[in-house]
Amino acid sequence: MNNQSKPIDQKTTATAHMKTDTTQSSSENSISQMKGSANAKKDTAATNKASIGNRYKTLADLEYKGKQVIILNNNRTTFSKSDLSLSKGSWQSFSNVDSLNRVGVANAMLSKSLMPTEDREPLYVNPTGWKNKKIKVNGKTEWLYNRSHLIGFQLTGENNNPKNLMTGTRSLNDPDMLIYENKVASYLKRTNHHIRYQVEPIFRGNELVARGVHMQAKSIEDNEVEFNVYIFNVEQGVTINYTDGSSSVQSTATINNKTTSSTINRDTSSSNNNTTSVSTSGLTVYPGDKATVSVKTKPNVQGTIEVDYSSGPSHASGLEPKTSDNKGNIRWIWEVGTRTKPGTYNVMISVNGETIKKHLVVK
């Protein structure tokens, strides 16, 4: 009996082989599934990349037809679920400049904690296509270009970062981008919530000046804030050469089909020929002081003010367009930055068809 083979041994051996075969098959299936999952992720990533590339080209090929801000995708963002995750908390990131030194897309998960507590320093970085000059359109003298932040300074305090600055027209920067930035900033201050934010400059080919910017934002903890817009980088009455940033002012007939009013380049506070007077008693200040301009004009007319520092037009709080009260009074009060260099700076006040030039003296 000791020399006979035991059936149980054969069965055990067969069972072992079956287990080995099953384990191997299961392992192969697992590897196959992993490869399939990995390939699926690669395909999804490739599809998403292609979709983004197609969207970029579509925007780059758009032609301006009189409307500077265009709503995209019914104002709904195209962020993915992972894009909206709060797993990393608050953050911001910028693309490296390309071979032409142009900026790329900027992303952020914004919150109040990222917002600056110090005044903004003067800007000195010159982005691609920076051929700035003062122009006169419809009787108003102004700078054509601003050093435009992709992620606005008021949102994260990012300032002289070459990866965050592009050459943008005054109207692109203020009011168009600023309107959306202010909406985001107001929400963050009021709620202490988060907003997923993205700004992408859109270039055509190898041009050095962007044709526009694509802005998206969505609040995370609620649905209060969401927008998806494209803003053309244009300026009324100006033809821009996007290849290098050079520009030319169109003829007055092209601007508004009639003769435009000329700029009133004067330093007097009143004139018998005009209905607007300006008080400049609050325009001699020290860095950190509040400057004041008071205007007397007709009731219920809109006025704008521009303060031109050496770095370009100021975007300080208090310099927004205003409407005169029922007695014709307008007052602008703003804080001069603590790092503003002593000097004399132009202040352009436009009210009721008049543009009046004054001077801010910083001691």
Side-chain angles (χ1 to χ4, degrees):
M1 289 184 63
N2 291 336
N3 295 328
Q4 293 179 352
S5 297
K6 297 180 180 179
I8 190 169
D9 292 339
Q10 294 174 356
K11 187 175 181 180
T12 301
T13 302
T15 302
H17 283 303
M18 289 174 63
K19 286 183 177 179
T20 301
D21 292 342
T22 302
T23 302
Q24 183 174 351
S25 175
S26 175
S27 177
E28 288 174 351
N29 288 337
S30 178
I31 293 172
S32 178
Q33 290 173 359
M34 289 173 64
K35 288 182 177 179
S37 177
N39 288 335
K41 288 182 179 179
K42 288 181 180 179
D43 291 342
T44 301
T47 301
N48 290 340
K49 187 174 182 179
S51 176
I52 292 172
N54 291 335
R55 181 185 67 197
Y56 187 101
K57 187 177 186 306
T58 299
L59 293 176
D61 289 341
L62 284 179
E63 295 292 347
Y64 173 68
K65 295 182 179 179
K67 191 174 182 180
Q68 194 161 359
V69 180
I70 296 177
I71 294 176
L72 304 175
N73 196 39
N74 295 318
N75 225 22
R76 298 297 181 185
T77 62
T78 57
F79 294 128
S80 67
K81 184 177 180 180
S82 61
D83 288 334
L84 300 175
S85 171
L86 284 174
S87 61
K88 296 180 181 178
S90 303
W91 53 269
Q92 63 176 329
S93 66
F94 303 94
S95 302
N96 291 327
V97 296
D98 66 10
S99 60
L100 298 176
N101 214 36
R102 302 179 302 185
V103 291
V105 63
N107 285 282
M109 181 64 75
L110 300 174
S111 70
K112 188 177 179 180
S113 65
L114 292 180
M115 301 180 82
T117 57
E118 298 180 356
D119 292 337
R120 195 184 84 178
E121 295 180 347
L123 291 170
Y124 54 79
V125 172
N126 291 338
T128 57
W130 184 255
K131 292 188 176 181
N132 207 5
K133 64 182 181 184
K134 284 197 170 183
I135 58 172
K136 186 182 292 183
V137 178
N138 288 338
K140 184 178 180 182
T141 301
E142 59 185 25
W143 289 101
L144 170 60
Y145 293 134
N146 286 180
R147 294 176 174 92
S148 302
H149 292 90
L150 300 180
I151 299 180
F153 175 81
Q154 66 172 319
L155 301 179
T156 66
E158 200 72 25
N159 197 34
N160 277 301
N161 181 351
K163 298 178 182 179
N164 191 41
L165 290 169
M166 59 169 276
T167 296
T169 62
R170 176 171 175 79
S171 60
L172 170 103
N173 197 44
D174 181 6
D176 289 334
M177 289 185 72
L178 186 61
I179 288 173
Y180 292 98
E181 291 169 1
N182 285 345
K183 183 177 183 179
V184 170
S186 175
Y187 172 86
L188 294 175
K189 291 176 181 177
R190 176 169 50 84
T191 65
N192 286 322
H193 289 173
H194 297 79
I195 285 184
R196 181 67 168 87
Y197 195 68
Q198 183 183 85
V199 181
E200 183 174 25
I202 305 297
F203 294 90
R204 185 182 294 179
N206 290 329
E207 293 175 345
L208 298 182
V209 176
R211 292 281 176 156
V213 292
H214 180 202
M215 299 181 71
Q216 295 191 83
K218 181 174 174 57
S219 52
I220 303 300
E221 288 86 352
D222 55 39
N223 295 315
E224 183 174 335
V225 175
E226 183 170 19
F227 57 80
N228 184 356
V229 298
Y230 179 71
I231 306 175
F232 284 98
N233 193 17
V234 296
E235 190 70 28
Q236 181 185 8
V238 179
T239 299
I240 296 172
N241 182 350
Y242 292 90
T243 302
D244 62 3
S246 57
S247 60
S248 59
V249 177
Q250 299 165 8
S251 66
T252 55
T254 304
I255 295 172
N256 59 7
N257 295 319
K258 65 181 181 179
T259 304
T260 61
S261 60
S262 60
T263 299
I264 304 171
N265 188 7
R266 56 188 173 88
D267 263 328
T268 56
S269 59
S270 63
S271 170
N272 294 331
N273 297 323
N274 297 289
T275 59
T276 300
S277 61
V278 179
S279 170
T280 60
S281 59
L283 284 179
T284 300
V285 297
Y286 289 92
D289 287 350
K290 290 187 180 297
T292 304
V293 168
S294 299
V295 173
K296 184 72 174 180
T297 184
K298 293 181 178 179
N300 303 313
V301 297
Q302 189 177 59
T304 62
I305 186 170
E306 176 183 317
V307 181
D308 293 327
Y309 293 117
S310 55
S311 58
S314 172
H315 299 292
S317 175
L319 294 175
E320 299 83 6
K322 294 188 176 183
T323 301
S324 60
D325 61 22
N326 56 9
K327 294 183 179 180
N329 297 310
I330 303 178
R331 175 175 289 186
W332 285 281
I333 302 175
W334 71 100
E335 186 174 306
V336 177
T338 57
R339 299 185 182 182
T340 301
K341 295 180 180 179
T344 300
Y345 303 99
N346 290 338
V347 178
M348 306 298 294
I349 304 114
S350 296
V351 180
N352 196 31
E354 301 176 47
T355 299
I356 303 169
K357 181 179 179 181
K358 296 294 180 179
H359 292 101
L360 171 68
V361 179
V362 180
K363 294 187 173 181

